[in-house]
């Protein structure tokens, strides 16, 4: 067979889509519920948006061992040498745990200073610091869970991660309602702190489920070897390149939110909704990127370049179809979507004036995410790093600064994001064609 079958791709992609959207769904649920509280809804929404962006930034940066371990496991699976990474897996998981504990200790202590850097002040700053100090307790839970998910994906299985993520997402929705609004005479209304507690409990349940699948369904364990696995250096180098790449990615998101906060609380509230919807779409489309990540690593290990080339074509088509479908659905309910998150008219006006830009860029996003996934599976972390650095500092940042100079405000932010995604998608497609077009024949 010269192609990976539609069934095989979707066996990985569909559960990965469902698993992938669970994390942004937790943030969207928090924002939707917080945006409709009776006390200080705009300030609470702004604080939740800022904290959500920072949490995502940290998690994306340090969770890159998930992608690295997935690539190495899938490559060794394809080469039928899975035994070579048996001691590597627990070492990678414990590395994630120690790193997450260090990040929690440092960032929780400096929470107020961190969110001042986002231009938060007054009530927004107080809410953000309080909310973050609870949400940050979830770092060890989330990062160990992500490492386990990376192992599952390397084994070509995203179903276990899907079950864990769905359980966490549904539990978070229920706990959000209970803890944010409370029940008269039974549970006090905890406002933002309730949403943070709900998230941490949900993350703990997800980790417990992931550990069950890890011990009962995989050939790996958590017993540490006294000898460092020879692959550990490659894992750390790949992770370091992906750390830098993701730091650049999150610098763009930080800059966008810092500028939006500086424009005013209504702007950062609208930006919070727009960004979380953009992230939701990204994780949704990213399901096929996860399939590309898992399968491309296996095909590279087996040196099956023809199927690798065809895989890039097929998953790109599927992702674009999903992007167009999302655009169609959101276009039908354009005004209603904003009302899910807030009833504040000043925020809704800003949201609806810019939302079309988020929709317009989705096909370009789809291509960028697909090739991101494939390049991660191929272990091309250095090139991914360089592309993101170029796109962020020579694309996104100057476009944002120019747009801000001309008073374009939220329009400047989203034009900059569009340019950012164009550079990323273009650079990856060109590189892949040059490297694998000749090998596939």
């Amino acid at each position: 067979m010269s192609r990976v079958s539609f069934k095989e791709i979707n066996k990985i992609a569909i559960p990965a889509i469902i698993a992938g959207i669970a994390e942004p769904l937790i943030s969207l649920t928090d924002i939707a519920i917080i945006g409709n509280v009776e006390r200080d809804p705009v300030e609470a929404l702004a604080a939740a948006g800022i904290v959500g962006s920072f949490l995502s930034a940290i998690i994306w940066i340090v969770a890159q061992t998930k992608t690295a371990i997935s690539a190495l496991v899938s490559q060794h699976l394809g080469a039928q040498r899975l035994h070579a990474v048996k001691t590597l897996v627990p070492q990678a998981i414990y590395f994630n745990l120690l790193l997450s504990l260090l990040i929690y200790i440092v960032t929780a202590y400096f929470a107020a200073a961190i969110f001042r850097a986002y231009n938060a002040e007054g009530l927004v700053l107080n809410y953000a610091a309080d909310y973050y100090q609870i949400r940050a307790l979830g770092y060890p839970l989330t990062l160990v869970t992500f490492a386990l998910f990376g192992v599952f994906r390397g084994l070509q299985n995203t179903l276990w991660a899907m079950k864990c993520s769905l359980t966490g997402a549904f539990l978070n929705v229920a706990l959000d309602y209970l803890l944010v609004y409370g029940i008269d005479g039974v549970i006090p209304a905890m406002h933002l702190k309730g949403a943070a507690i709900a998230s941490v409990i949900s993350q703990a349940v997800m980790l417990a489920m992931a550990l069950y699948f890890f011990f009962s369904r995989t050939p790996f364990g958590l017993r540490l070897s006294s000898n460092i696995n020879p692959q550990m250096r490659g894992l750390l180098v790949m992770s370091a390149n992906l750390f830098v790449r993701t730091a650049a990615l999150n610098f763009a998101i930080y800059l966008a939110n810092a500028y939006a906060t500086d424009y005013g609380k209504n702007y950062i509230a609208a930006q919070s909704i727009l960004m979380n919807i953009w992230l939701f779409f990204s994780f949704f489309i990213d399901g096929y990127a996860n399939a590309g990540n898992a399968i491309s690593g296996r095909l590279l290990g087996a040196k099956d370049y023809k199927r690798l080339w065809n895989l890039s074509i097929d998953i790109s088509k599927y992702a674009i179809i999903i992007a167009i479908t999302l655009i169609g659905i959101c276009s039908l309910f354009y005004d209603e979507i904003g009302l899910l998150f807030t009833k504040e008219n000043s925020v809704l006006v800003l949201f609806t004036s810019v939302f079309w830009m988020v929709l317009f860029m989705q096909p370009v996003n789809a291509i960028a995410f697909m090739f991101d996934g494939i390049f991660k599976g191929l272990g091309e972390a250095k090139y991914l790093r360089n592309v993101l650095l170029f796109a962020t500092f020579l694309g996104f940042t100057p476009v944002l600064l120019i747009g801000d100079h001309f008073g374009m405000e939220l329009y400047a932010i989203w034009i900059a994001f569009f340019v950012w995604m164009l550079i990323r998608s273009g650079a990856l497609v060109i590189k892949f064609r040059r490297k694998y077009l000749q090998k596939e024949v």
Side-chain angles (χ1 to χ4, degrees):
M1 287 179 64
S2 63
R3 306 188 95 86
V4 178
S5 69
F6 181 74
K7 182 179 179 181
E8 186 178 354
I9 292 172
N10 281 289
K11 185 179 178 181
I12 297 174
I14 300 302
I17 289 171
I18 297 170
I21 64 175
E23 181 63 29
L25 190 60
I26 289 174
S27 293
L28 280 173
T29 302
D30 284 358
I31 285 176
I33 292 173
I34 290 165
N36 287 283
V37 294
E38 292 183 4
R39 189 173 87 242
D40 311 315
V42 175
E43 289 82 358
L45 180 59
I50 294 169
V51 172
S53 295
F54 182 72
L55 280 165
S56 296
I58 295 296
I59 290 171
W60 283 357
I61 291 169
V62 298
Q64 294 310 307
T65 46
K66 166 190 171 181
T67 299
I69 193 66
S70 173
L72 288 172
V73 170
S74 64
Q75 288 170 22
H76 282 79
L77 180 68
Q80 298 183 352
R81 296 188 66 253
L82 208 54
H83 62 276
V85 291
K86 274 203 168 182
T87 58
L88 175 67
V89 168
Q91 289 169 3
I93 291 170
Y94 283 113
F95 174 79
N96 259 26
L97 176 61
L98 292 174
L99 188 60
S100 63
L101 289 172
L102 177 63
I103 290 168
Y104 167 73
I105 292 168
V106 173
T107 61
Y109 183 79
F110 291 105
I114 288 167
F115 297 115
R116 282 194 195 96
Y118 280 79
N119 295 321
E121 56 185 21
L123 194 56
V124 173
L125 177 61
N126 293 337
Y127 278 157
D130 290 344
Y131 179 57
Y132 178 77
Q133 286 171 337
I134 299 172
R135 280 291 306 266
L137 291 168
Y139 279 139
L141 306 173
T142 298
L143 294 175
V144 172
T145 300
F146 278 8
L148 297 172
F149 285 1
V151 175
F152 301 162
R153 191 168 70 196
L155 294 172
Q156 316 293 285
N157 188 306
T158 53
L159 183 63
W160 304 330
M162 180 198 79
K163 291 179 179 179
C164 300
S165 298
L166 274 182
T167 302
F170 284 124
L171 180 62
N172 186 74
V173 172
L175 290 174
D176 260 352
Y177 275 102
L178 286 174
L179 299 180
V180 173
Y181 298 135
I183 298 175
D184 287 341
V186 181
I187 300 173
M190 300 183 192
H191 204 235
L192 265 176
K193 290 182 179 179
I197 293 169
S199 296
V200 172
I201 294 172
S202 301
Q203 289 163 336
V205 171
M206 288 169 61
L207 173 58
M209 290 183 66
L211 285 170
Y212 165 76
F213 287 118
F214 179 76
F215 286 120
S216 63
R217 307 289 176 84
T218 80
F220 304 113
L222 289 180
R223 184 177 178 181
L224 282 173
S225 169
S226 57
N227 297 318
I228 302 296
N229 188 285
Q231 298 288 332
M232 192 64 181
R233 182 180 181 279
L235 175 77
L236 293 177
V237 169
M238 193 186 309
S239 297
N241 281 318
L242 292 172
F243 286 173
V244 174
R245 171 189 178 274
T246 312
L249 183 154
N250 283 290
F251 174 77
I253 295 175
Y254 156 74
L255 207 59
N257 284 314
Y259 271 75
T261 304
D262 198 43
Y263 298 145
K265 65 181 183 181
N266 293 331
Y267 286 86
I268 185 54
Q271 173 66 11
S272 297
I273 300 170
L274 291 164
M275 179 52 67
N276 277 278
I277 291 175
W278 189 87
L279 291 172
F280 177 81
F281 283 1
S282 301
F283 280 101
F284 200 104
I285 296 170
D286 207 40
Y288 279 97
N290 282 321
N293 175 273
I295 298 171
S296 65
R298 192 190 78 213
L299 295 178
L300 179 67
K303 294 181 170 52
D304 192 344
Y305 301 116
K306 186 172 184 62
R307 294 179 81 196
L308 176 60
W309 175 262
N310 289 332
L311 173 71
S312 72
I313 296 171
D314 291 338
I315 64 169
S316 293
K317 288 191 297 187
Y318 303 151
I320 289 173
I321 290 169
I322 289 175
I324 293 171
T325 302
L326 289 170
I327 292 170
I329 293 170
C330 289
S331 297
L332 286 173
F333 301 100
Y334 192 88
D335 293 322
E336 289 81 358
I337 289 171
L339 290 168
L340 292 173
F341 300 98
T342 184
K343 301 297 187 293
E344 295 290 328
N345 189 59
S346 57
V347 177
L348 286 171
V349 169
L350 291 168
F351 169 79
T352 54
S353 69
V354 179
F355 186 36
W356 65 270
M357 298 177 70
V358 175
L359 300 181
F360 182 75
M361 70 170 68
Q362 291 310 311
V364 175
N365 290 8
I367 297 297
F369 296 146
M370 288 314 97
F371 281 93
D372 263 356
I374 290 173
F375 273 70
K376 288 173 184 175
L378 299 175
E380 294 271 4
K382 183 178 179 180
Y383 185 72
L384 287 171
R385 178 201 69 192
N386 292 340
V387 168
L388 229 299
L389 288 171
F390 183 90
T392 300
F393 295 106
L394 297 178
F396 179 89
T397 303
V399 171
L400 174 59
L401 294 176
I402 292 168
D404 176 70
H405 176 75
F406 287 102
M408 297 176 69
E409 297 177 330
L410 291 184
Y411 291 105
I413 291 172
W414 288 97
I415 292 170
F417 272 123
F418 187 46
V419 170
W420 191 56
M421 296 307 298
L422 281 172
I423 293 171
R424 291 172 59 185
S425 59
L428 295 177
V429 170
I430 291 168
K431 170 76 170 182
F432 188 81
R433 284 181 59 85
R434 286 178 177 172
K435 187 164 185 176
Y436 292 101
L437 182 60
Q438 298 300 322
K439 289 184 177 182
E440 67 92 18
V441 293

